[in-house]
Amino acid sequence: DAGVIQSPRHEVTEMGQEVTLRCKPISGHNSLFWYRQTMMRGLELLIYFNNNVPIDDSGMPEDRFSAKMPNASFSTLKIQPSEPRDSAVYFCASRHRDRGGNEQFFGPGTRLTVL
Amino acid sequence: QQPVQSPQAVILREGEDAVINCSSSKALYSVHWYRQKHGEAPVFLMILLKGGEQKGHEKISASFNEKKQQSSLYLTASQLSYSGTYFCGTETAYNQGGKLIFGQGTELSVKP
């Protein structure tokens, strides 16, 4: 089984540009989570979906951030316009909500640098 | 609210033991433990559910004291491969859809 796939792995952009991060969860998983990791703030949950429906977006820092999950195998996290303080590693994780254990599987992350 | 982990960092010699604690101000339904190596994604170690279960993973085990709202991770006879940052993630109710709040992490370094 392929794990969680994220693209791009690295993104360098200039302040004010739009950034789109992509995630493909593990096949059959029905929950998807977007996290942001920085040295200062640690690992923060931004938003999560169950069965493609956003359940809790209270962690999304500002209106500049938006996330979608148009189907069970794809999700995007968009930042528009980007700012230097958005620089971080963004992880996507998925899990099978209805199976015991509730383990979350993390993707390799996207390292975003906003200049 | 973010759980508090202690210690923030620990340095061990190979073969030594360590304990990492995770405390919450809220009642917990479950505690998840992850390990993250530098430049990599967090990797699941184990989950402990309400009920005081203790689970093990090779020489790594954990306990969950729901009354005290805390969990401890025990690393026995540490190996070089145990180095990394350990995170606890807490879930306060069974119906939160898997929403985890992670602690700030404990950096573990195992030296030869």
PDB file of all heavy atoms in Angstrom, chain B residues 1-36:
ATOM      1  N   GLN B   1      -6.806  22.541  24.613  1.00  0.00           N
ATOM      2  CA  GLN B   1      -5.591  23.085  25.202  1.00  0.00           C
ATOM      3  C   GLN B   1      -4.459  22.075  25.035  1.00  0.00           C
ATOM      4  O   GLN B   1      -4.651  20.872  25.212  1.00  0.00           O
ATOM      5  CB  GLN B   1      -5.815  23.386  26.667  1.00  0.00           C
ATOM      6  CG  GLN B   1      -4.725  24.250  27.264  1.00  0.00           C
ATOM      7  CD  GLN B   1      -5.170  24.908  28.562  1.00  0.00           C
ATOM      8  OE1 GLN B   1      -6.299  24.733  29.002  1.00  0.00           O
ATOM      9  NE2 GLN B   1      -4.280  25.655  29.172  1.00  0.00           N
ATOM     10  N   GLN B   2      -3.282  22.590  24.721  1.00  0.00           N
ATOM     11  CA  GLN B   2      -2.146  21.737  24.406  1.00  0.00           C
ATOM     12  C   GLN B   2      -1.662  20.963  25.626  1.00  0.00           C
ATOM     13  O   GLN B   2      -1.471  21.534  26.710  1.00  0.00           O
ATOM     14  CB  GLN B   2      -1.010  22.607  23.874  1.00  0.00           C
ATOM     15  CG  GLN B   2       0.183  21.846  23.351  1.00  0.00           C
ATOM     16  CD  GLN B   2       1.289  22.762  22.848  1.00  0.00           C
ATOM     17  OE1 GLN B   2       1.565  23.797  23.432  1.00  0.00           O
ATOM     18  NE2 GLN B   2       1.914  22.385  21.740  1.00  0.00           N
ATOM     19  N   PRO B   3      -1.451  19.634  25.515  1.00  0.00           N
ATOM     20  CA  PRO B   3      -0.880  18.886  26.637  1.00  0.00           C
ATOM     21  C   PRO B   3       0.574  19.312  26.858  1.00  0.00           C
ATOM     22  O   PRO B   3       1.234  19.803  25.943  1.00  0.00           O
ATOM     23  CB  PRO B   3      -0.964  17.435  26.174  1.00  0.00           C
ATOM     24  CG  PRO B   3      -1.032  17.495  24.695  1.00  0.00           C
ATOM     25  CD  PRO B   3      -1.727  18.779  24.355  1.00  0.00           C
ATOM     26  N   VAL B   4       1.040  19.107  28.083  1.00  0.00           N
ATOM     27  CA  VAL B   4       2.397  19.500  28.457  1.00  0.00           C
ATOM     28  C   VAL B   4       3.267  18.262  28.583  1.00  0.00           C
ATOM     29  O   VAL B   4       2.912  17.316  29.301  1.00  0.00           O
ATOM     30  CB  VAL B   4       2.387  20.275  29.793  1.00  0.00           C
ATOM     31  CG1 VAL B   4       3.814  20.610  30.213  1.00  0.00           C
ATOM     32  CG2 VAL B   4       1.566  21.552  29.653  1.00  0.00           C
ATOM     33  N   GLN B   5       4.379  18.264  27.878  1.00  0.00           N
ATOM     34  CA  GLN B   5       5.308  17.147  27.941  1.00  0.00           C
ATOM     35  C   GLN B   5       6.517  17.514  28.788  1.00  0.00           C
ATOM     36  O   GLN B   5       6.972  18.655  28.801  1.00  0.00           O
ATOM     37  CB  GLN B   5       5.793  16.766  26.535  1.00  0.00           C
ATOM     38  CG  GLN B   5       4.734  16.126  25.684  1.00  0.00           C
ATOM     39  CD  GLN B   5       5.275  15.658  24.345  1.00  0.00           C
ATOM     40  OE1 GLN B   5       4.697  15.961  23.310  1.00  0.00           O
ATOM     41  NE2 GLN B   5       6.366  14.905  24.363  1.00  0.00           N
ATOM     42  N   SER B   6       7.044  16.509  29.473  1.00  0.00           N
ATOM     43  CA  SER B   6       8.269  16.703  30.235  1.00  0.00           C
ATOM     44  C   SER B   6       9.080  15.405  30.206  1.00  0.00           C
ATOM     45  O   SER B   6       8.496  14.312  30.182  1.00  0.00           O
ATOM     46  CB  SER B   6       7.953  17.104  31.683  1.00  0.00           C
ATOM     47  OG  SER B   6       7.235  16.075  32.340  1.00  0.00           O
ATOM     48  N   PRO B   7      10.397  15.488  30.185  1.00  0.00           N
ATOM     49  CA  PRO B   7      11.169  16.726  30.037  1.00  0.00           C
ATOM     50  C   PRO B   7      11.097  17.245  28.603  1.00  0.00           C
ATOM     51  O   PRO B   7      10.541  16.583  27.733  1.00  0.00           O
ATOM     52  CB  PRO B   7      12.581  16.273  30.399  1.00  0.00           C
ATOM     53  CG  PRO B   7      12.632  14.847  29.942  1.00  0.00           C
ATOM     54  CD  PRO B   7      11.262  14.290  30.203  1.00  0.00           C
ATOM     55  N   GLN B   8      11.652  18.413  28.357  1.00  0.00           N
ATOM     56  CA  GLN B   8      11.697  18.966  27.003  1.00  0.00           C
ATOM     57  C   GLN B   8      12.757  18.261  26.175  1.00  0.00           C
ATOM     58  O   GLN B   8      12.613  18.121  24.957  1.00  0.00           O
ATOM     59  CB  GLN B   8      11.991  20.460  27.049  1.00  0.00           C
ATOM     60  CG  GLN B   8      10.813  21.287  27.518  1.00  0.00           C
ATOM     61  CD  GLN B   8      11.054  22.772  27.345  1.00  0.00           C
ATOM     62  OE1 GLN B   8      12.118  23.276  27.722  1.00  0.00           O
ATOM     63  NE2 GLN B   8      10.102  23.467  26.774  1.00  0.00           N
ATOM     64  N   ALA B   9      13.831  17.845  26.851  1.00  0.00           N
ATOM     65  CA  ALA B   9      14.911  17.160  26.149  1.00  0.00           C
ATOM     66  C   ALA B   9      15.607  16.218  27.118  1.00  0.00           C
ATOM     67  O   ALA B   9      15.627  16.468  28.331  1.00  0.00           O
ATOM     68  CB  ALA B   9      15.908  18.169  25.584  1.00  0.00           C
ATOM     69  N   VAL B  10      16.146  15.143  26.586  1.00  0.00           N
ATOM     70  CA  VAL B  10      16.882  14.191  27.413  1.00  0.00           C
ATOM     71  C   VAL B  10      17.987  13.563  26.578  1.00  0.00           C
ATOM     72  O   VAL B  10      17.788  13.270  25.391  1.00  0.00           O
ATOM     73  CB  VAL B  10      15.929  13.131  28.019  1.00  0.00           C
ATOM     74  CG1 VAL B  10      15.200  12.374  26.923  1.00  0.00           C
ATOM     75  CG2 VAL B  10      16.660  12.180  28.926  1.00  0.00           C
ATOM     76  N   ILE B  11      19.127  13.382  27.210  1.00  0.00           N
ATOM     77  CA  ILE B  11      20.270  12.739  26.547  1.00  0.00           C
ATOM     78  C   ILE B  11      20.570  11.450  27.292  1.00  0.00           C
ATOM     79  O   ILE B  11      20.698  11.458  28.527  1.00  0.00           O
ATOM     80  CB  ILE B  11      21.511  13.652  26.538  1.00  0.00           C
ATOM     81  CG1 ILE B  11      21.193  14.944  25.770  1.00  0.00           C
ATOM     82  CG2 ILE B  11      22.703  12.941  25.908  1.00  0.00           C
ATOM     83  CD1 ILE B  11      22.309  15.975  25.819  1.00  0.00           C
ATOM     84  N   LEU B  12      20.681  10.369  26.568  1.00  0.00           N
ATOM     85  CA  LEU B  12      20.927   9.063  27.159  1.00  0.00           C
ATOM     86  C   LEU B  12      22.152   8.420  26.535  1.00  0.00           C
ATOM     87  O   LEU B  12      22.509   8.720  25.391  1.00  0.00           O
ATOM     88  CB  LEU B  12      19.739   8.120  26.887  1.00  0.00           C
ATOM     89  CG  LEU B  12      18.376   8.450  27.433  1.00  0.00           C
ATOM     90  CD1 LEU B  12      17.375   7.418  26.928  1.00  0.00           C
ATOM     91  CD2 LEU B  12      18.397   8.479  28.951  1.00  0.00           C
ATOM     92  N   ARG B  13      22.737   7.497  27.289  1.00  0.00           N
ATOM     93  CA  ARG B  13      23.725   6.589  26.714  1.00  0.00           C
ATOM     94  C   ARG B  13      22.968   5.347  26.265  1.00  0.00           C
ATOM     95  O   ARG B  13      21.957   4.946  26.876  1.00  0.00           O
ATOM     96  CB  ARG B  13      24.761   6.206  27.754  1.00  0.00           C
ATOM     97  CG  ARG B  13      25.680   7.347  28.147  1.00  0.00           C
ATOM     98  CD  ARG B  13      26.674   7.623  27.055  1.00  0.00           C
ATOM     99  NE  ARG B  13      27.586   8.712  27.409  1.00  0.00           N
ATOM    100  CZ  ARG B  13      28.403   9.296  26.547  1.00  0.00           C
ATOM    101  NH1 ARG B  13      28.445   8.906  25.278  1.00  0.00           N
ATOM    102  NH2 ARG B  13      29.195  10.278  26.934  1.00  0.00           N
ATOM    103  N   GLU B  14      23.463   4.719  25.251  1.00  0.00           N
ATOM    104  CA  GLU B  14      22.862   3.485  24.766  1.00  0.00           C
ATOM    105  C   GLU B  14      22.682   2.506  25.930  1.00  0.00           C
ATOM    106  O   GLU B  14      23.588   2.334  26.754  1.00  0.00           O
ATOM    107  CB  GLU B  14      23.805   2.853  23.730  1.00  0.00           C
ATOM    108  CG  GLU B  14      23.123   2.215  22.571  1.00  0.00           C
ATOM    109  CD  GLU B  14      24.096   1.741  21.497  1.00  0.00           C
ATOM    110  OE1 GLU B  14      25.287   2.133  21.546  1.00  0.00           O
ATOM    111  OE2 GLU B  14      23.654   0.991  20.629  1.00  0.00           O
ATOM    112  N   GLY B  15      21.502   1.913  26.026  1.00  0.00           N
ATOM    113  CA  GLY B  15      21.232   0.952  27.090  1.00  0.00           C
ATOM    114  C   GLY B  15      20.539   1.542  28.305  1.00  0.00           C
ATOM    115  O   GLY B  15      20.007   0.796  29.140  1.00  0.00           O
ATOM    116  N   GLU B  16      20.513   2.870  28.406  1.00  0.00           N
ATOM    117  CA  GLU B  16      19.832   3.503  29.539  1.00  0.00           C
ATOM    118  C   GLU B  16      18.331   3.606  29.289  1.00  0.00           C
ATOM    119  O   GLU B  16      17.853   3.453  28.170  1.00  0.00           O
ATOM    120  CB  GLU B  16      20.446   4.895  29.802  1.00  0.00           C
ATOM    121  CG  GLU B  16      21.879   4.848  30.305  1.00  0.00           C
ATOM    122  CD  GLU B  16      22.446   6.239  30.582  1.00  0.00           C
ATOM    123  OE1 GLU B  16      21.935   7.230  30.010  1.00  0.00           O
ATOM    124  OE2 GLU B  16      23.394   6.325  31.375  1.00  0.00           O
ATOM    125  N   ASP B  17      17.606   3.854  30.383  1.00  0.00           N
ATOM    126  CA  ASP B  17      16.149   3.963  30.304  1.00  0.00           C
ATOM    127  C   ASP B  17      15.728   5.432  30.382  1.00  0.00           C
ATOM    128  O   ASP B  17      16.463   6.285  30.903  1.00  0.00           O
ATOM    129  CB  ASP B  17      15.498   3.208  31.463  1.00  0.00           C
ATOM    130  CG  ASP B  17      15.873   1.734  31.491  1.00  0.00           C
ATOM    131  OD1 ASP B  17      16.317   1.205  30.455  1.00  0.00           O
ATOM    132  OD2 ASP B  17      15.728   1.125  32.569  1.00  0.00           O
ATOM    133  N   ALA B  18      14.531   5.710  29.888  1.00  0.00           N
ATOM    134  CA  ALA B  18      13.987   7.063  29.967  1.00  0.00           C
ATOM    135  C   ALA B  18      12.469   7.007  30.099  1.00  0.00           C
ATOM    136  O   ALA B  18      11.832   6.031  29.668  1.00  0.00           O
ATOM    137  CB  ALA B  18      14.358   7.867  28.722  1.00  0.00           C
ATOM    138  N   VAL B  19      11.924   8.047  30.708  1.00  0.00           N
ATOM    139  CA  VAL B  19      10.477   8.193  30.827  1.00  0.00           C
ATOM    140  C   VAL B  19      10.091   9.576  30.317  1.00  0.00           C
ATOM    141  O   VAL B  19      10.706  10.575  30.710  1.00  0.00           O
ATOM    142  CB  VAL B  19      10.002   8.041  32.286  1.00  0.00           C
ATOM    143  CG1 VAL B  19       8.480   8.208  32.350  1.00  0.00           C
ATOM    144  CG2 VAL B  19      10.423   6.708  32.847  1.00  0.00           C
ATOM    145  N   ILE B  20       9.088   9.615  29.476  1.00  0.00           N
ATOM    146  CA  ILE B  20       8.565  10.887  28.965  1.00  0.00           C
ATOM    147  C   ILE B  20       7.114  11.002  29.416  1.00  0.00           C
ATOM    148  O   ILE B  20       6.335  10.058  29.267  1.00  0.00           O
ATOM    149  CB  ILE B  20       8.642  10.952  27.430  1.00  0.00           C
ATOM    150  CG1 ILE B  20      10.097  10.829  26.970  1.00  0.00           C
ATOM    151  CG2 ILE B  20       8.023  12.252  26.911  1.00  0.00           C
ATOM    152  CD1 ILE B  20      10.248  10.688  25.454  1.00  0.00           C
ATOM    153  N   ASN B  21       6.775  12.141  29.988  1.00  0.00           N
ATOM    154  CA  ASN B  21       5.437  12.349  30.523  1.00  0.00           C
ATOM    155  C   ASN B  21       4.625  13.314  29.687  1.00  0.00           C
ATOM    156  O   ASN B  21       5.159  14.227  29.052  1.00  0.00           O
ATOM    157  CB  ASN B  21       5.538  12.880  31.959  1.00  0.00           C
ATOM    158  CG  ASN B  21       6.255  11.916  32.870  1.00  0.00           C
ATOM    159  OD1 ASN B  21       5.868  10.765  33.012  1.00  0.00           O
ATOM    160  ND2 ASN B  21       7.338  12.368  33.475  1.00  0.00           N
ATOM    161  N   CYS B  22       3.314  13.116  29.717  1.00  0.00           N
ATOM    162  CA  CYS B  22       2.383  13.948  28.962  1.00  0.00           C
ATOM    163  C   CYS B  22       1.192  14.221  29.875  1.00  0.00           C
ATOM    164  O   CYS B  22       0.518  13.275  30.298  1.00  0.00           O
ATOM    165  CB  CYS B  22       1.957  13.203  27.707  1.00  0.00           C
ATOM    166  SG  CYS B  22       0.664  14.007  26.727  1.00  0.00           S
ATOM    167  N   SER B  23       0.939  15.489  30.182  1.00  0.00           N
ATOM    168  CA  SER B  23      -0.141  15.853  31.098  1.00  0.00           C
ATOM    169  C   SER B  23      -1.127  16.789  30.430  1.00  0.00           C
ATOM    170  O   SER B  23      -0.743  17.701  29.703  1.00  0.00           O
ATOM    171  CB  SER B  23       0.431  16.551  32.344  1.00  0.00           C
ATOM    172  OG  SER B  23       1.241  15.668  33.071  1.00  0.00           O
ATOM    173  N   SER B  24      -2.401  16.553  30.741  1.00  0.00           N
ATOM    174  CA  SER B  24      -3.452  17.377  30.164  1.00  0.00           C
ATOM    175  C   SER B  24      -4.280  18.020  31.257  1.00  0.00           C
ATOM    176  O   SER B  24      -4.461  17.444  32.332  1.00  0.00           O
ATOM    177  CB  SER B  24      -4.346  16.522  29.269  1.00  0.00           C
ATOM    178  OG  SER B  24      -5.467  17.259  28.829  1.00  0.00           O
ATOM    179  N   SER B  25      -4.821  19.195  30.967  1.00  0.00           N
ATOM    180  CA  SER B  25      -5.708  19.858  31.923  1.00  0.00           C
ATOM    181  C   SER B  25      -7.155  19.421  31.709  1.00  0.00           C
ATOM    182  O   SER B  25      -8.038  19.785  32.484  1.00  0.00           O
ATOM    183  CB  SER B  25      -5.596  21.381  31.775  1.00  0.00           C
ATOM    184  OG  SER B  25      -5.948  21.766  30.466  1.00  0.00           O
ATOM    185  N   LYS B  26      -7.379  18.638  30.648  1.00  0.00           N
ATOM    186  CA  LYS B  26      -8.728  18.177  30.342  1.00  0.00           C
ATOM    187  C   LYS B  26      -8.809  16.668  30.493  1.00  0.00           C
ATOM    188  O   LYS B  26      -7.809  15.953  30.356  1.00  0.00           O
ATOM    189  CB  LYS B  26      -9.102  18.550  28.909  1.00  0.00           C
ATOM    190  CG  LYS B  26      -9.281  20.035  28.660  1.00  0.00           C
ATOM    191  CD  LYS B  26      -9.853  20.262  27.275  1.00  0.00           C
ATOM    192  CE  LYS B  26     -10.258  21.718  27.085  1.00  0.00           C
ATOM    193  NZ  LYS B  26     -10.909  21.923  25.778  1.00  0.00           N
ATOM    194  N   ALA B  27     -10.014  16.176  30.729  1.00  0.00           N
ATOM    195  CA  ALA B  27     -10.236  14.733  30.767  1.00  0.00           C
ATOM    196  C   ALA B  27      -9.932  14.164  29.386  1.00  0.00           C
ATOM    197  O   ALA B  27     -10.248  14.772  28.365  1.00  0.00           O
ATOM    198  CB  ALA B  27     -11.673  14.437  31.166  1.00  0.00           C
ATOM    199  N   LEU B  28      -9.326  13.001  29.371  1.00  0.00           N
ATOM    200  CA  LEU B  28      -8.868  12.421  28.112  1.00  0.00           C
ATOM    201  C   LEU B  28      -9.620  11.137  27.770  1.00  0.00           C
ATOM    202  O   LEU B  28      -9.952  10.334  28.643  1.00  0.00           O
ATOM    203  CB  LEU B  28      -7.370  12.125  28.188  1.00  0.00           C
ATOM    204  CG  LEU B  28      -6.452  13.328  28.410  1.00  0.00           C
ATOM    205  CD1 LEU B  28      -5.001  12.865  28.553  1.00  0.00           C
ATOM    206  CD2 LEU B  28      -6.587  14.325  27.274  1.00  0.00           C
ATOM    207  N   TYR B  29      -9.827  10.962  26.467  1.00  0.00           N
ATOM    208  CA  TYR B  29     -10.373   9.707  25.973  1.00  0.00           C
ATOM    209  C   TYR B  29      -9.243   8.793  25.501  1.00  0.00           C
ATOM    210  O   TYR B  29      -9.300   7.583  25.695  1.00  0.00           O
ATOM    211  CB  TYR B  29     -11.345   9.986  24.829  1.00  0.00           C
ATOM    212  CG  TYR B  29     -11.740   8.749  24.066  1.00  0.00           C
ATOM    213  CD1 TYR B  29     -12.554   7.779  24.652  1.00  0.00           C
ATOM    214  CD2 TYR B  29     -11.295   8.525  22.763  1.00  0.00           C
ATOM    215  CE1 TYR B  29     -12.909   6.633  23.963  1.00  0.00           C
ATOM    216  CE2 TYR B  29     -11.648   7.385  22.073  1.00  0.00           C
ATOM    217  CZ  TYR B  29     -12.453   6.455  22.681  1.00  0.00           C
ATOM    218  OH  TYR B  29     -12.799   5.319  21.992  1.00  0.00           O
ATOM    219  N   SER B  30      -8.250   9.388  24.871  1.00  0.00           N
ATOM    220  CA  SER B  30      -7.125   8.591  24.394  1.00  0.00           C
ATOM    221  C   SER B  30      -5.869   9.434  24.321  1.00  0.00           C
ATOM    222  O   SER B  30      -5.922  10.673  24.253  1.00  0.00           O
ATOM    223  CB  SER B  30      -7.429   7.980  23.019  1.00  0.00           C
ATOM    224  OG  SER B  30      -7.441   8.989  22.030  1.00  0.00           O
ATOM    225  N   VAL B  31      -4.745   8.734  24.337  1.00  0.00           N
ATOM    226  CA  VAL B  31      -3.440   9.380  24.155  1.00  0.00           C
ATOM    227  C   VAL B  31      -2.693   8.611  23.073  1.00  0.00           C
ATOM    228  O   VAL B  31      -2.635   7.376  23.109  1.00  0.00           O
ATOM    229  CB  VAL B  31      -2.615   9.376  25.456  1.00  0.00           C
ATOM    230  CG1 VAL B  31      -1.258  10.040  25.219  1.00  0.00           C
ATOM    231  CG2 VAL B  31      -3.367  10.096  26.572  1.00  0.00           C
ATOM    232  N   HIS B  32      -2.150   9.341  22.128  1.00  0.00           N
ATOM    233  CA  HIS B  32      -1.387   8.743  21.037  1.00  0.00           C
ATOM    234  C   HIS B  32       0.066   9.178  21.184  1.00  0.00           C
ATOM    235  O   HIS B  32       0.333  10.333  21.508  1.00  0.00           O
ATOM    236  CB  HIS B  32      -1.902   9.231  19.683  1.00  0.00           C
ATOM    237  CG  HIS B  32      -3.348   8.954  19.425  1.00  0.00           C
ATOM    238  ND1 HIS B  32      -3.799   8.461  18.219  1.00  0.00           N
ATOM    239  CD2 HIS B  32      -4.449   9.085  20.198  1.00  0.00           C
ATOM    240  CE1 HIS B  32      -5.114   8.329  18.268  1.00  0.00           C
ATOM    241  NE2 HIS B  32      -5.522   8.692  19.458  1.00  0.00           N
ATOM    242  N   TRP B  33       0.980   8.269  20.905  1.00  0.00           N
ATOM    243  CA  TRP B  33       2.399   8.611  20.928  1.00  0.00           C
ATOM    244  C   TRP B  33       3.011   8.440  19.539  1.00  0.00           C
ATOM    245  O   TRP B  33       2.777   7.438  18.870  1.00  0.00           O
ATOM    246  CB  TRP B  33       3.154   7.734  21.929  1.00  0.00           C
ATOM    247  CG  TRP B  33       2.900   8.110  23.362  1.00  0.00           C
ATOM    248  CD1 TRP B  33       1.996   7.539  24.211  1.00  0.00           C
ATOM    249  CD2 TRP B  33       3.559   9.132  24.101  1.00  0.00           C
ATOM    250  NE1 TRP B  33       2.055   8.151  25.445  1.00  0.00           N
ATOM    251  CE2 TRP B  33       3.008   9.131  25.402  1.00  0.00           C
ATOM    252  CE3 TRP B  33       4.567  10.056  23.810  1.00  0.00           C
ATOM    253  CZ2 TRP B  33       3.425  10.014  26.405  1.00  0.00           C
ATOM    254  CZ3 TRP B  33       4.986  10.928  24.796  1.00  0.00           C
ATOM    255  CH2 TRP B  33       4.424  10.901  26.079  1.00  0.00           C
ATOM    256  N   TYR B  34       3.796   9.447  19.145  1.00  0.00           N
ATOM    257  CA  TYR B  34       4.468   9.448  17.855  1.00  0.00           C
ATOM    258  C   TYR B  34       5.943   9.775  18.058  1.00  0.00           C
ATOM    259  O   TYR B  34       6.309  10.475  18.999  1.00  0.00           O
ATOM    260  CB  TYR B  34       3.863  10.505  16.911  1.00  0.00           C
ATOM    261  CG  TYR B  34       2.515  10.144  16.354  1.00  0.00           C
ATOM    262  CD1 TYR B  34       1.361  10.269  17.127  1.00  0.00           C
ATOM    263  CD2 TYR B  34       2.386   9.657  15.053  1.00  0.00           C
ATOM    264  CE1 TYR B  34       0.125   9.926  16.604  1.00  0.00           C
ATOM    265  CE2 TYR B  34       1.156   9.316  14.526  1.00  0.00           C
ATOM    266  CZ  TYR B  34       0.021   9.450  15.320  1.00  0.00           C
ATOM    267  OH  TYR B  34      -1.198   9.100  14.804  1.00  0.00           O
ATOM    268  N   ARG B  35       6.749   9.293  17.148  1.00  0.00           N
ATOM    269  CA  ARG B  35       8.171   9.646  17.134  1.00  0.00           C
ATOM    270  C   ARG B  35       8.497  10.272  15.780  1.00  0.00           C
ATOM    271  O   ARG B  35       8.070   9.760  14.732  1.00  0.00           O
ATOM    272  CB  ARG B  35       9.059   8.434  17.355  1.00  0.00           C
ATOM    273  CG  ARG B  35      10.568   8.737  17.273  1.00  0.00           C
ATOM    274  CD  ARG B  35      11.398   7.534  17.701  1.00  0.00           C
ATOM    275  NE  ARG B  35      11.193   6.374  16.866  1.00  0.00           N
ATOM    276  CZ  ARG B  35      11.409   5.118  17.291  1.00  0.00           C
ATOM    277  NH1 ARG B  35      11.809   4.891  18.528  1.00  0.00           N
ATOM    278  NH2 ARG B  35      11.219   4.111  16.468  1.00  0.00           N
ATOM    279  N   GLN B  36       9.253  11.358  15.810  1.00  0.00           N
ATOM    280  CA  GLN B  36       9.641  12.035  14.582  1.00  0.00           C
ATOM    281  C   GLN B  36      11.160  12.188  14.541  1.00  0.00           C
ATOM    282  O   GLN B  36      11.752  12.792  15.438  1.00  0.00           O
ATOM    283  CB  GLN B  36       8.980  13.422  14.496  1.00  0.00           C
ATOM    284  CG  GLN B  36       9.265  14.153  13.203  1.00  0.00           C
ATOM    285  CD  GLN B  36       8.570  15.510  13.143  1.00  0.00           C
ATOM    286  OE1 GLN B  36       8.330  16.159  14.163  1.00  0.00           O
ATOM    287  NE2 GLN B  36       8.221  15.964  11.938  1.00  0.00           N
TER     288      GLN B  36
END
